[in-house]
Amino acid sequence: MTTTSEKVSQQLTRQVSKRVSQSVFDGSPLRVVLLVDVYDGAQQQFLEAYEQLCNQVAKVPGHVSDQLCQSIENPSQWLITSEWESAPPFLAWVNSEEHVQMVQPMHSCIRDTRSLRFHVVREMGRGLAKVDPAQRKLQVSPRIGDGVIRHALTFTVKPGSEPEVAKILANYDSPETHVDETTRLVRTSLFLIGNRVVRAIEVRGDLLQALRHVARQPEVRAVEEAINPYLEQERDLSCDESARVFFTRAALPAVHHVSVDERHEGERHALYIPARPGCGMRLAEALARLDEDAAEDPATPVLRSTVFQRDDVVVRLVDVRPGAGVEAALPEPGALAPLKSLLDGDAARMKLITDRRSPDA
C-alpha cells in the first residue's frame, strides 16, 4: 500500500531554494508538539481520552510514534509529541472529518491547546548522528523566512446569497492590528468564487494569538453574526465547542510560499484550482514546484505566491508586479497540462472582496 507521504514525497529532499520560505513538501520527518492545559480534576478523564485517541491515530498512514508527558510543576499542563513520516500525511489527517470526530472526547476536559509543527532538520542520539540525512530525507539547509505567518479560512454560503455576503464582507470596519508587543496583523484579503469564501491572513508573531484577538474584536464579531444566516454549515460562535469545530473545518493551511528577492508591493489575485477527489495534496505539490521553478526566472511578473490546500480545495494567492494585470497571475498556457490527471476543471480567478493592510506593515 502506498502511503500519502510516498505519493507526495517520492524523491529525496532537494537542496532548499532560497526563494522558498515555507513548504510542507520537503519530505523531512515532521514533529508535532501539542501543549494542553487540562481542567483541574480532569486529568484521569484526559488520560483515558488520550489512550483511546492514541489507538486510533496509530492506524493513520504516515504516523510513526507519539508520547504523552505531564508537567512536573503543574499537573494540569500536558505535552503531546508525535512524529510523522512527513508533513502531508499529518495534514491530510488533521484537516479531515475523521480527526474532528477523534478528538471530540478530549474537548470536555481541555481548557486550552496550542499546536506547533516542525520539520526535523538535524538529529542525534541512539546512533542517529551517524545516519545519512538522505536516508531520513532531512532538509539539507534551513529555510529563511520573512517573519510573516500565512494562513487562510474557507467556508461556503447558501447559493444565491453571494451578493449579500460580499456586501457584508466588504464593508466592515478594520479591527485593531496591534495584538501585543510581539504580534500584529499584517494583511487580510477576502475572495469569493461561486459560493465559496476564502479569507487569507498574514501575521507577524503568534498566529493563534492573532486569530483570538481578531475573534474578540467587535467589528469582526458583528460581521460574523451578520453572515451566520447565509452559511451552509450552521455555527454558534458563542459556544466554544461549535466555534472550535467550525474553525477546524474552515482551516485552509498554507502549504508552500515562494517569493522573489524584491520587496515591492504588488497587485493581489487569487486562483481557485479544482482538484479531482483525493488529489488535492498532490495538486498542491505540483503547483508549488511550478511556482518554485518560475521564481528562478528573472523576468517573472510574480513577486510572491502562496499555495493553500485542504482536502480537494486548492487556492493559489499571487502578488504580481504593478501594472502586470490579472493575466500575469494566471498559469502560462499549457503549464497545467501535465497536471491534467489531478485537475477537476480549469483554474478560475476569484473575485477580490477586500484587501486590507496594516498601516505599519
Side-chain angles (χ1 to χ4, degrees):
M1 178 178 176
T2 304
T3 66
T4 303
S5 60
E6 290 170 341
K7 290 178 181 178
V8 176
S9 303
Q10 296 178 353
Q11 306 179 56
L12 295 180
T13 305
R14 306 186 304 170
Q15 177 69 36
V16 172
S17 168
K18 293 182 179 180
R19 299 186 186 278
V20 178
S21 61
Q22 177 185 358
S23 182
V24 305
F25 303 117
D26 294 329
S28 302
L30 181 75
R31 177 68 64 182
V32 180
V33 179
L34 184 65
L35 304 174
V36 182
D37 186 11
V38 176
Y39 286 118
D40 295 336
Q43 284 82 359
Q44 183 61 37
Q45 178 188 352
F46 169 73
L47 180 58
E48 293 171 357
Y50 167 78
E51 290 176 344
Q52 179 182 356
L53 174 65
C54 188
N55 291 331
Q56 295 173 310
V57 176
K59 302 174 185 177
V60 176
H63 176 264
V64 177
S65 64
D66 58 74
Q67 287 184 323
L68 175 65
C69 309
Q70 186 176 21
S71 170
I72 63 174
E73 299 170 336
N74 182 352
S76 295
Q77 293 180 345
W78 295 72
L79 173 69
I80 301 175
T81 65
S82 63
E83 182 173 324
W84 296 73
E85 293 174 2
S86 62
F90 168 76
L91 291 175
W93 172 70
V94 80
N95 292 325
S96 69
E97 188 63 27
E98 179 185 18
H99 171 260
V100 173
Q101 299 302 321
M102 278 188 190
V103 301
Q104 191 169 7
M106 300 183 73
H107 290 164
S108 61
C109 50
I110 292 177
R111 181 184 293 109
D112 194 17
T113 61
R114 178 178 175 82
S115 179
L116 303 171
R117 304 158 188 184
F118 302 87
H119 271 143
V120 178
V121 178
R122 296 290 184 272
E123 55 188 359
M124 62 181 298
R126 297 183 183 179
L128 288 174
K130 299 179 180 179
V131 175
D132 183 350
Q135 295 180 9
R136 281 274 283 171
K137 300 183 180 180
L138 303 185
Q139 290 178 209
V140 177
S141 57
R143 295 198 179 278
I144 307 301
D146 57 3
V148 175
I149 302 172
R150 296 169 175 85
H151 188 66
L153 299 171
T154 185
F155 53 86
T156 56
V157 296
K158 297 173 182 177
S161 68
E162 296 89 350
E164 185 62 27
V165 169
K167 182 179 179 181
I168 294 171
L169 294 176
N171 295 320
Y172 71 96
D173 293 331
S174 297
E176 171 60 47
T177 59
H178 184 270
V179 179
D180 55 35
E181 293 303 316
T182 60
T183 301
R184 59 186 172 87
L185 303 175
V186 175
R187 190 170 186 175
T188 301
S189 306
L190 275 158
F191 295 88
L192 183 67
I193 185 166
N195 68 329
R196 178 172 295 280
V197 176
V198 172
R199 175 186 290 156
I201 307 162
E202 297 179 6
V203 173
R204 287 191 185 276
D206 189 315
L207 175 63
L208 183 58
Q209 284 295 99
L211 293 177
R212 288 174 172 172
H213 165 81
V214 170
R216 292 192 297 264
Q217 300 305 299
E219 303 90 348
V220 174
R221 294 178 70 89
V223 170
E224 300 292 359
E225 289 296 326
I227 65 173
N228 274 345
Y230 304 106
L231 296 177
E232 282 198 313
Q233 181 183 41
E234 293 184 2
R235 68 181 183 184
D236 179 5
L237 297 184
S238 65
C239 170
D240 290 344
E241 180 63 17
S242 177
R244 190 199 321 269
V245 171
F246 177 83
F247 286 111
T248 297
R249 289 172 171 155
L252 186 64
V255 295
H256 194 85
H257 177 76
V258 60
S259 61
V260 300
D261 294 334
E262 299 178 45
R263 295 286 181 175
H264 294 118
E265 288 300 318
E267 298 173 359
R268 175 152 289 189
H269 304 280
L271 301 176
Y272 181 78
I273 307 176
R276 288 190 177 182
C279 295
M281 183 66 76
R282 284 187 287 162
L283 176 59
E285 184 189 24
L287 293 171
R289 299 306 184 206
L290 290 176
D291 279 350
E292 190 171 336
D293 292 341
E296 299 299 330
D297 180 2
T300 179
V302 176
L303 296 175
R304 285 165 290 277
S305 177
T306 307
V307 178
F308 298 90
Q309 181 266 332
R310 177 196 179 92
D311 296 330
D312 298 322
V313 177
V314 182
V315 173
R316 180 173 176 257
L317 185 66
V318 189
D319 291 339
V320 300
R321 299 182 189 280
V326 65
E327 293 77 13
L330 296 171
E332 293 288 337
L336 298 183
L339 312 183
K340 186 176 180 180
S341 63
L342 305 176
L343 295 169
D344 194 30
D346 296 328
R349 180 191 177 193
M350 303 187 73
K351 179 181 179 182
L352 178 63
I353 303 302
T354 183
D355 183 28
R356 306 184 184 200
R357 292 183 60 88
S358 169
D360 58 346

